[in-house]
Amino acid sequence: MGIVILEAAPERVVGTMPVEGNTQPMGLLHGGASAVLAETLGSFGAVMHGSTIGRPLAVGVDLNATHHKGLRGGTVTGVATPVHLGGTIATYDIVITDEKGDRVCTARLTCLLRGA
């Protein structure tokens, strides 16, 4: 997938992913690749939050994604920010943009937090 994490904290996770190598047969960024980026970033945040409360294992229980724009090249950037950081559930909004800052995908991930 080529995901690179640039910033990671429970309150904000930022990462990039190349479009090349992550396309569907029509040559556009695959929606599943956007979902992988979103779940990766949200899960990083959830694990980091869970680690502060003794529940460091995050298991995704819901992921939804709305695809706004197709891309044929370049790099996308995702930013995950928390909607809810609880004792057993963490939910993140993830916004994925292209190199011009245009929104490509909006996703939401909810993770169950479990103990080790």
Side-chain angles (χ1 to χ4, degrees), residues 26-97:
M26 297 286 295
L28 297 170
L29 176 63
H30 197 294
S34 293
V36 168
L37 177 60
E39 186 151 357
T40 299
L41 299 178
S43 293
F44 260 81
V47 166
M48 294 176 77
H49 165 66
S51 294
T52 68
I53 60 169
R55 298 178 76 84
L57 303 177
V59 180
V61 295
D62 182 62
L63 173 68
N64 66 70
T66 301
H67 307 290
H68 307 290
K69 178 180 177 180
L71 294 177
R72 293 191 181 277
T75 299
V76 292
T77 300
V79 178
T81 55
V83 174
H84 173 77
L85 296 176
T88 56
I89 292 285
T91 301
Y92 283 80
D93 278 338
I94 304 96
V95 174
I96 300 172
T97 56

